[in-house]
Amino acid sequence: MQIECVNEVNISFPSKSSNESFARAAISAFVSQLDPTIDEITDIKTAVSEAVTNCIAHAYKSGIGTIYINSKIFSNGKIVIKIKDKGTGMENVQQAMEPLFTTGGSERAGLGFAVMKSFMDKIKVSSKPDRGTTVTMEKSIIRRLAKSDR
Amino acid sequence: MGIKVEMNRDTAVALVSGEIDHHSASEIREKIDNFVRTNNLKELILDFSKVSFMDTSGIGLILGRFKLARSLGVNFKVINIPEKMRRIINLSGIKNLGIFE
């Protein structure tokens, strides 16, 4: 069976911290059509919150910029979420992804990427200094129907 | 998001409610820290029973208050972490601090 994209949403908004809750609520509303469990929704909301917070607290640290989210649902129950900014970018992506590494001061745990990695099935980060960062995350939602078939 | 701090003898209980993220954490942090610095406490308890969501900003919030309490010689505990937030707590490793009840 061919896997195709069955639904897609694009959102963009200014990097104000009040939009963190909007972003995770919007994506959680979009993926709710797959009937995910509460755990799956919590995982997705948390991962989105981390990625958007990175855009606000790091990429656009010195001003307001635009955050772009694209999310796709595929016919096999896979969700792809792409979160993009045109901010400062990172010299060393690998270092930024290490647990406990942070440039955000003592109130930041440095666990954002660790959460994205462990709560989602797949994560890809591409970044260029002064150009911006794109985080692409995937998660497959176990479909209730398929479950009862077993 | 809400934060209410109540004093019972020399114990302060901070009841946090709603969603903890990078946006809401700073206000919660300020309220708790002001209270802790201006009252003579023996113990600070964070009550998470009314928290509906937290990301790693919640971990930072807990860690920061733990450090502040310790620097002032105040006992520190976190109580009533909702079931769906167990995963992020476990992942962060802060379970080993022995502050959860």
Side-chain angles (χ1 to χ4, degrees), chain B residues 45-65:
Chain B
I45 298 174
L46 299 191
D47 185 345
F48 270 45
S49 57
K50 297 231 165 11
V51 174
S52 54
F53 170 86
M54 70 177 242
D55 61 18
T56 59
S57 307
I59 304 293
L61 183 79
I62 293 171
L63 263 179
R65 307 305 58 73

Side-chain angles (χ1 to χ4, degrees), chain B residues 62-81:
Chain B
I62 293 171
L63 263 179
R65 307 305 58 73
F66 168 73
K67 285 181 194 157
L68 174 70
R70 202 172 52 173
S71 75
L72 298 169
V74 172
N75 254 333
F76 181 69
K77 261 193 325 209
V78 184
I79 60 170
N80 300 326
I81 296 266

Side-chain angles (χ1 to χ4, degrees), chain A residues 3 31 38 48 74 92-93 107 113 116 144:
Chain A
I3 297 160
V31 303
I38 291 180
V48 168
F74 290 87
N92 191 336
V93 174
E107 288 292 326
F113 278 119
M116 291 183 243
R144 239 53 64 213

Side-chain angles (χ1 to χ4, degrees), chain A residues 17 20 24 43 49-50, chain B residues 19 22-23 55-56 65 87:
Chain A
S17 61
E20 289 158 10
R24 56 178 185 265
D43 287 355
S49 199
E50 300 298 345
Chain B
E19 303 195 320
H22 161 253
H23 177 71
D55 61 18
T56 59
R65 307 305 58 73
R87 248 189 106 193

Side-chain angles (χ1 to χ4, degrees), chain B residues 85-99:
Chain B
M85 275 147 241
R86 291 275 165 200
R87 248 189 106 193
I88 195 162
I89 299 276
N90 291 346
L91 178 96
S92 73
I94 60 171
K95 241 175 115 184
N96 303 329
L97 295 175
I99 53 174

Side-chain angles (χ1 to χ4, degrees), chain A residues 42-103:
Chain A
T42 303
D43 287 355
I44 292 169
K45 277 176 81 171
T46 312
V48 168
S49 199
E50 300 298 345
V52 170
T53 298
N54 278 348
C55 300
I56 293 167
H58 300 292
Y60 296 127
K61 197 179 177 179
S62 50
I64 297 289
T66 306
I67 299 169
Y68 306 84
I69 303 184
N70 168 273
S71 182
K72 284 180 179 153
I73 292 174
F74 290 87
S75 51
N76 59 352
K78 189 170 83 180
I79 297 161
V80 177
I81 304 166
K82 206 183 268 188
I83 298 173
K84 186 175 129 182
D85 67 70
K86 294 179 179 172
T88 53
M90 292 174 281
E91 199 84 61
N92 191 336
V93 174
Q94 217 158 1
Q95 183 187 42
M97 290 181 74
E98 272 168 29
L100 306 181
F101 177 85
T102 182
T103 55

